[in-house]
Amino acid sequence: MSELVLSSLDGGVLTLTFNRPDRLNAWIDAMGRRYFDLLEEAERDPDVRVIVVTGAGKGFCAGADFQTLGALRDGSYDEEPDKRPTTHPTTIRKPILAAVNGACAGLGMVHALVCDLVFTAAEAKWTTAFARRGLIAEYGLAWILPKLIGQAKAMDILLSGRTFTGAEAGELGLANRVVPGERLLEETLAYARELAVHSSPASMAVIKRQVWGDWQKSLDDSASEAVRLMLESFARPDFAEGVASFVERRPPAFPPLT
């Protein structure tokens, strides 16, 4: 079996590529296990500051592989699922950007939306698909979607299971940026390099934890916790370097995340 997830590091940006192009990168347990392993390795690697996730060929991830679904249907599925939840990328302290280059369906759509930022090709095909397969809103999508785009829009794409383009994904609020497919990776990597060069790794880690975690807090609790985190940030070298680089009008030299 070829490498299921390709890995390439350049200038502080790690690119992970789902690599089952003949199956539109449909999800199998082995690919998911390798993906999560690489995310955890990236979190420990001081040379990695930002992670970009994309797909090889014409798809980002076309959802669960139909061979897996068939085995689940007839009771012959006997693989040991990874114990890490599908939301595992939200616990990785470094920012993760999805570059949705093509088919983004079902479980693939979940994996795009548990990234921190989403860039999509305008022509990419998106769908929740679940209702058209006799399934439900899986892996926390019923929680994520209303918070991203509101209940009415979430109901639309979940109940209908309709296919829509990356351009509409941007209009709905599922994607941060919509670009022509031939420029997708270039623009995503350019944004990732901006983060790697100009944003403090420690600050990004804390902000990521705040944004994903504070959805479950009241405004008062979130504000109180932010005061505590702000006071902690004053003691970090990142704060001194951030101020000094601004005053001296030079790029910052933030230390890696420890």
Side-chain angles (χ1 to χ4, degrees):
M1 184 179 291
S2 63
E3 190 68 27
L4 292 172
V5 183
L6 304 177
S7 176
S8 174
L9 178 62
D10 180 36
V13 178
L14 179 71
T15 302
L16 300 179
T17 305
F18 300 141
N19 191 36
R20 301 186 73 221
D22 57 320
R23 303 285 293 175
L24 292 176
N25 305 309
W27 197 264
I28 56 174
D29 285 338
M31 188 173 81
R33 189 171 292 107
R34 181 59 179 154
Y35 173 47
F36 286 174
D37 286 348
L38 287 169
L39 288 180
E40 291 181 357
E41 290 173 17
E43 184 170 43
R44 295 189 296 268
D45 188 344
D47 291 332
V48 176
R49 299 206 169 202
V50 183
I51 302 163
V52 170
V53 181
T54 192
K58 296 181 179 180
F60 175 74
C61 175
D65 191 282
F66 264 87
Q67 292 179 347
T68 300
L69 294 177
L72 287 168
R73 183 183 59 191
D74 63 24
S76 63
Y77 182 80
D78 60 358
E79 293 190 44
E80 182 67 28
D82 196 306
K83 291 182 171 56
R84 293 166 291 190
T86 305
T87 54
H88 187 55
T90 67
T91 70
I92 300 299
R93 294 181 298 161
K94 297 176 181 181
I96 305 173
L97 284 62
V100 179
N101 54 302
C104 182
L107 181 54
M109 185 168 164
V110 177
H111 280 291
L113 296 180
V114 294
C115 291
D116 304 303
L117 292 157
V118 178
F119 286 49
T120 183
E123 63 273 22
K125 295 296 190 293
W126 289 62
T127 176
T128 59
F130 299 123
R132 298 194 178 197
R133 304 290 176 266
L135 298 169
I136 52 84
E138 295 180 352
Y139 302 108
L141 204 58
W143 186 85
I144 293 172
L145 277 175
K147 291 174 173 61
L148 290 177
I149 62 176
Q151 181 169 319
K153 292 176 182 177
M155 281 292 194
D156 165 31
I157 63 176
L158 283 169
L159 295 178
S160 71
R162 66 183 178 85
T163 299
F164 53 96
T165 64
E168 186 177 352
E171 293 169 359
L172 287 168
L174 294 172
N176 299 86
R177 190 173 301 180
V178 179
V179 298
E182 65 272 14
R183 297 210 321 266
L184 174 67
L185 198 54
E186 174 188 351
E187 293 206 18
T188 309
L189 289 172
Y191 185 98
R193 291 188 191 103
E194 282 284 314
L195 296 183
V197 171
H198 296 289
S199 294
S200 155
S203 294
M204 291 192 292
V206 173
I207 289 168
K208 177 169 178 172
R209 187 170 74 244
Q210 285 179 282
V211 172
W212 282 106
D214 285 10
W215 278 2
Q216 301 177 63
K217 294 180 180 177
S218 69
L219 174 58
D220 287 345
D221 287 344
S222 177
S224 295
E225 177 67 0
V227 170
R228 184 186 70 80
L229 293 170
M230 178 181 64
L231 293 174
E232 282 184 359
S233 71
F234 291 156
R236 291 195 191 97
D238 302 64
F239 173 63
E241 174 59 15
V243 173
S245 63
F246 178 76
V247 172
E248 297 166 14
R249 298 184 178 181
R250 60 169 175 79
F254 291 119
L257 192 63
T258 58

